[in-house]
Amino acid sequence: TSNNIFTFLYSVPNAVGLMFGSGNVGSELDTSYADINTYLSRDAGVTWEETHIGSFVPEFGDHGGIIVVADPYHDSSQFEFTLDEGLHWHKCVFSTENMRIRNIRVSPRWDSRQFVLYGVRDNKAVLLHIDFTNTFTRKCDSNDYEQWTPKFYDRECVLGQKISYKRRKRESICFNGEEHETKKIVSPCLCSILDYECDDCFFFSPALQQCVYNCDFTNASQIPNPPTNCNYSYNVPIGWRKVEGDACVNGIPQPQGIVLCPGATIPPWTEPTQTNPLPPNDTQTSSKTVIVVVTLLVLFIITLICGIFFVLYKKNPRFHDFVAYTLNIGAPSQYTKVTIDEGVEDENVHTNTQIQI
């Protein structure tokens, strides 16, 4: 959504299964900030748990072993962090003066234990360096990891593959280290009907549970003539294809499509709504039209992106600060370093900070 009260849906490649998002519980999305909260998923978005009241901006470090969040919508002098994927949250007060936090950043591979939080205080840019190097008492060993397999509802096979990842156990308070690599085990699945879809000129009929041929022209080389005793429909060796990118093996063979017998009609509630493809003799005209349409569409998209970028840069303070920080436009007027020591137990962690002006 484009509403500024929501933080983005956020995940990173090496924090396996972890996702952050903001929203509300209910049948539809609420646009009132009072009803918006922050949620964390550990199974790639299948289930969610509420972590904070309000909309918070998150960042992952140490391959997901450290999560830092902050409130970007109210002036604040604190951030929160968790070392066990949200089981326990700790507050860190880094200053006696409030600031408007814009965002939190970490290394490009999300493997560092050092974060940068930046924002604005009295119209001056402020950088906060958060250091978790001395937070953990040990590095993770083999007993601290588990195998996790993402599921699509109750199916472990997604696009014909079962993929298991090795990730740190939630209860293990240890660090992965920058050299840690996320390992995965890939095994093919047996093909099922869910690994196939209807091919061109065919559509899926819920009533018949089949891919039914439906084109305005007939390719005689592919569509066999109906049998002499044709009764409503007959099977053809085409009509289904494997889903793009699907890697299943063996299992059920590729299903057959069906063609209606002459005079038979499709039930009205299963009529396709897609426009039928053009006849072969219109191919040349169609190609020229497509080239013109694609060119105009590309120009429109480029113009739209430039316009959105300009509006966000001018109107959205967080985006403006992120661009300025990324492109090195201007230098922060205040720099703060916060070190999180080992043995974090209390909910509130107060730190002594060094501020360089």
Side-chain angles (χ1 to χ4, degrees):
T1 178
S2 60
N3 198 311
N4 288 333
I5 67 173
F6 298 99
T7 53
F8 40 82
L9 186 65
Y10 189 59
S11 65
V12 299
N14 55 342
V16 178
L18 298 179
M19 298 178 68
F20 259 97
S22 60
N24 59 279
V25 177
S27 59
E28 60 185 21
L29 191 62
D30 200 328
T31 56
S32 171
Y33 182 84
D35 298 322
I36 302 304
N37 299 319
T38 301
Y39 299 86
L40 169 67
S41 173
R42 297 187 64 253
D43 52 15
V46 178
T47 61
W48 296 83
E49 56 189 62
E50 183 180 293
T51 62
H52 294 84
I53 303 298
S55 188
F56 279 59
V57 58
E59 185 58 289
F60 299 99
D62 190 42
H63 306 271
I66 307 171
I67 305 175
V68 179
V69 301
D71 182 356
Y73 298 103
H74 301 91
D75 291 345
S76 175
S77 60
Q78 69 179 28
F79 61 86
E80 297 187 34
F81 66 93
T82 177
L83 308 178
D84 50 19
E85 299 177 3
L87 279 179
H88 302 90
W89 288 93
H90 310 279
K91 296 180 181 179
C92 177
V93 180
F94 57 82
S95 176
T96 57
E97 298 180 81
N98 288 339
M99 61 179 284
R100 180 58 62 91
I101 298 171
R102 298 304 188 194
N103 207 348
I104 311 169
R105 306 296 292 172
V106 75
S107 59
R109 294 184 65 247
W110 301 276
D111 54 7
S112 175
R113 283 172 281 163
Q114 303 192 44
F115 296 71
V116 172
L117 181 151
Y118 63 88
V120 176
R121 180 192 294 135
D122 297 328
N123 294 322
K124 295 180 180 179
V126 179
L127 281 182
L128 178 70
H129 174 201
I130 309 171
D131 190 357
F132 288 91
T133 303
N134 299 322
T135 304
F136 300 92
T137 58
R138 66 184 182 89
K139 187 176 182 180
C140 300
D141 58 35
S142 58
N143 295 323
D144 293 305
Y145 293 94
E146 64 181 359
Q147 290 295 129
W148 173 73
T149 302
K151 296 181 180 180
F152 181 69
Y153 295 98
D154 294 330
R155 298 182 68 235
E156 290 186 338
C157 291
V158 179
L159 287 178
Q161 291 181 322
K162 177 183 176 181
I163 305 178
S164 296
Y165 296 88
K166 186 180 80 169
R167 67 177 185 181
R168 198 195 71 175
K169 295 177 181 178
R170 192 176 196 180
E171 300 81 7
S172 294
I173 307 301
C174 56
F175 70 93
N176 293 296
E178 294 187 10
E179 70 282 0
H180 173 75
E181 294 185 4
T182 302
K183 296 182 179 180
K184 63 180 180 180
I185 302 174
V186 181
S187 54
C189 299
L190 296 178
C191 294
S192 70
I193 193 66
L194 297 177
D195 295 298
Y196 296 95
E197 63 182 358
C198 293
D199 207 343
D200 295 335
C201 277
F202 287 78
F203 80 100
F204 185 76
S205 167
L208 304 176
Q209 290 293 297
Q210 283 281 1
C211 288
V212 182
Y213 180 75
N214 186 70
C215 271
D216 286 341
F217 62 94
T218 299
N219 189 334
S221 63
Q222 292 186 342
I223 304 299
N225 293 324
T228 54
N229 59 343
C230 190
N231 182 17
Y232 187 71
S233 67
Y234 60 99
N235 294 334
V236 292
I238 60 174
W240 292 78
R241 64 187 176 196
K242 190 176 287 188
V243 175
E244 181 69 26
D246 197 293
C248 71
V249 295
N250 301 325
I252 69 169
Q254 181 169 313
Q256 292 186 329
I258 65 171
V259 179
L260 298 183
C261 297
T265 59
I266 304 172
W269 56 87
T270 61
E271 286 283 353
T273 56
Q274 292 182 334
T275 303
N276 292 326
L278 293 172
N281 57 4
D282 286 348
T283 302
Q284 187 174 3
T285 303
S286 174
S287 299
K288 294 180 180 179
T289 304
V290 168
I291 293 175
V292 174
V293 171
V294 169
T295 303
L296 292 176
L297 183 60
V298 169
L299 292 175
F300 173 76
I301 292 175
I302 294 175
T303 305
L304 181 62
I305 292 175
C306 292
I308 293 175
F309 182 91
F310 178 79
V311 172
L312 287 176
Y313 186 80
K314 291 293 185 181
K315 300 294 185 181
N316 190 308
R318 290 178 59 204
F319 186 78
H320 180 280
D321 291 344
F322 171 73
V323 173
Y325 172 73
T326 304
L327 299 181
N328 233 7
I329 303 174
S333 57
Q334 298 184 25
Y335 169 81
T336 305
K337 181 176 180 179
V338 174
T339 301
I340 310 297
D341 293 327
E342 64 183 54
V344 177
E345 296 180 356
D346 298 331
E347 178 184 2
N348 297 288
V349 180
H350 298 270
T351 63
N352 295 321
T353 64
Q354 299 175 349
I355 303 179
Q356 300 177 7
I357 304 298

